[in-house]
Amino acid sequence: MPYDDLRSFLDTLEKEGQLLRIPDEVLPEPDIAAAANAAGRIGEGAPALWFDRVKGFTDARIAMNVHGSWRNHALALGMPKETSPREQVEEFARRWDAFPVPPERRADAPWQENTVTGGDVDLFAVLPLFRLNDGDGGFYLDKAAVVSRDPADPDHFGKQNLGTYRMEVIGRDRLALQPVPVHDIAQHLRTAEERGEDLPVAITLGNDPVIPIVAGMPLRYDQSEYEMAGALRGAPMPIATAPHTGLDVPWGAEVVIEGVVESRVRQIEGPFGEFTGHYSGGRRMPVIRIERISYRSRPVFESLYLGMPWTECDYLVGPNTSVPLLKQLRAEFPEVRAVNAMYTHGLLVIISTAKRYGGFAKAVGMRAMTTPHGLGYVSQVILVDEDVDPFDLPQVMWAQSAKVNPREDVLVLPNLSVVELAPASQPAGVTSKMIIDATTPVAPDVRGNFGTPVKDLPETAAWAARLRTLLATR
Amino acid sequence: MTAPTASPAVCPRCSDEAVRTVAHSPVPDVWEVLQCARCLYMWRTTEPARRTSPGAYPERFRMTAEDIATALEVPAVPPLAAR
């Protein structure tokens, strides 16, 4: 059964031993962020963290690291917690084929229990806000889904966007928003600002565990994240109508914040420790004016620590970046076997592919750079043969060390687009990109001495199974 | 228990003196959340000195009036469309 809200997923995590309640009173800073940072440093299988004794607060309930291990990511998608990363990506890709699954509109959303509007809006009265990293300019909402519509086509359900964008609390009823130009909300905002109009938005916090996965997923502009959530859940995504803006929001959210991005306004924002492992900011960014907050009684505040990888963010955007690239590449090149885009949201991608003819793998690498996500991210591509597992980094390093003749197999392309957050870009937003072709050349590319590869013995697979059985039963 | 600091005269990040209180702890007198009106830096009075004290605030994160005035607009405000 898919999860319709965060609370039911937290119950499952607890039953599976994947939620750790912190029993002692903690300081809001630096304890909560440091604990979530540490969850990424204690090895495989880290649990979600639950805090409800936070100094100075009377009623805080804070969930961190909810997606912060392969076990938790598997459980979020209803898979057994032991499912390997590669198997999770393959199952994710299989479910993608059910897209689009229309959502199910429901009434009586739990977040309708409480409402504040106008001058009574005070984020601090609803959320136990706290800082993550030392250099952050303030307290952030970094795991919320932001919903907006295309002002030029407001009735198009697919063009309604749901995405995760960082938001800094800059007042009781004000947020600064980072709409990265390659992201869909930036297109909505541009259209609104060209017309001199505010852009209505709904911000939903504490969502069911599939929403953060689709909200960070590089879908096509006109593809609905809700219809993708339905495909990944294996059941229609429950949505409800936000009362103030009329936007479609997750039925099961803990908190729904509604307001507008004020037209043609920019204010200083940041810095913020980003998924790149570096701070970005301060820059002048758009501002959201909050006009209404609806919330469940005793809301759970879900947040995410990010900093030097790996952190929860890397688990959250690993498979959801790999699968769209795999699907988009395979649509034109069925030879593509697997895509591992789990490094810094796909700034580096490893692709396994069969070769149609000499030079083919390099073309696959170039195509990866021109996919929707590639335009803003894919800066380095390593191509490996079809029998190399791109999720097995020792195998990838073997392929690169043995197959690459640097002068012919490393291509550097100057002055291409990338997100401004990419720390190596110069100027910000522009970078060179690199293709490393670590595949075996095929005709008419006859370079190298690859005629006699050593393959695993025909009996090896059977012996591997036998060894595992012996180990398990000894 | 850490006693709440009285509102400091200056922002730890940009040294401006226009500091306002934006929130009080729900448990009385444990902490306040303060904000600089110029650089918008926000902090809780119980945070470590490296985030709250002008003397201990790291040089690399400091901000000047010029930094704020010349900060890049992201995204840039587009031209108004002709009507």
Side-chain angles (χ1 to χ4, degrees), chain A residues 265-286:
Chain A
V265 173
R266 300 290 185 269
Q267 271 195 291
I268 192 75
E269 189 269 0
F272 181 61
E274 271 285 357
F275 71 95
T276 61
H278 296 77
Y279 288 93
S280 77
R283 294 161 298 172
R284 298 171 64 81
M285 296 245 183

Side-chain angles (χ1 to χ4, degrees), chain A residues 376-460:
Chain A
Y377 289 85
V378 180
S379 299
Q380 300 178 48
V381 184
I382 302 172
L383 294 133
V384 294
D385 286 328
E386 64 271 35
D387 60 354
V388 173
D389 178 357
F391 293 90
D392 182 339
L393 294 187
Q395 273 191 16
V396 173
M397 289 298 99
W398 163 71
Q400 185 168 328
S401 58
K403 309 270 188 185
V404 171
N405 182 337
R407 198 172 63 182
E408 283 91 23
D409 292 323
V410 179
L411 280 59
V412 177
L413 312 165
N415 293 325
L416 295 173
S417 61
V418 74
V419 284
E420 285 157 332
L421 297 178
S425 66
Q426 176 61 36
V430 174
T431 187
S432 60
K433 296 195 177 185
M434 175 171 68
I435 293 170
I436 299 176
D437 183 357
T439 62
T440 310
V442 296
D445 184 0
V446 293
R447 296 170 300 121
N449 305 287
F450 299 107
T452 50
V454 187
K455 298 281 188 185
D456 280 1
L457 296 170
E459 298 81 6
T460 296

Side-chain angles (χ1 to χ4, degrees), chain A residues 129 131 134 194-195 266, chain B residues 42 44 50 72 75 81 83:
Chain A
L129 300 161
R131 188 193 316 278
D134 282 350
E194 283 171 347
R195 298 168 171 213
R266 300 290 185 269
Chain B
M42 196 179 275
R44 194 185 324 267
R50 63 185 191 262
L72 203 63
R83 299 229 170 200

Side-chain angles (χ1 to χ4, degrees), chain A residues 28-29 55-57 129-131 134 137 169-170 172 193-195 264 266 268 270-271 279 283-284 286 420, chain B residues 13 21-22 26-27 31 35 39 41-44 47 50-51 61 71-75 78 80-81 83:
Chain A
E29 298 89 6
K55 200 175 186 74
F57 288 102
L129 300 161
F130 54 90
R131 188 193 316 278
D134 282 350
V169 176
I170 56 170
R172 293 186 186 97
E193 291 194 319
E194 283 171 347
R195 298 168 171 213
R264 311 180 71 78
R266 300 290 185 269
I268 192 75
Y279 288 93
R283 294 161 298 172
R284 298 171 64 81
E420 285 157 332
Chain B
R13 182 164 83 166
T21 301
V22 292
V27 178
W31 44 254
Q35 187 181 30
C39 77
Y41 182 67
M42 196 179 275
W43 70 99
R44 194 185 324 267
E47 290 196 70
R50 63 185 191 262
R51 302 176 183 179
F61 297 129
L72 203 63
E73 265 186 13
V74 177
L80 280 169
R83 299 229 170 200

Side-chain angles (χ1 to χ4, degrees), chain B residues 14-39:
Chain B
C14 80
S15 302
D16 198 70
E17 294 183 0
V19 170
R20 62 194 170 203
T21 301
V22 292
H24 297 273
S25 53
V27 178
D29 302 326
V30 179
W31 44 254
E32 289 181 305
V33 175
L34 307 177
Q35 187 181 30
C36 170
R38 180 170 74 176
C39 77

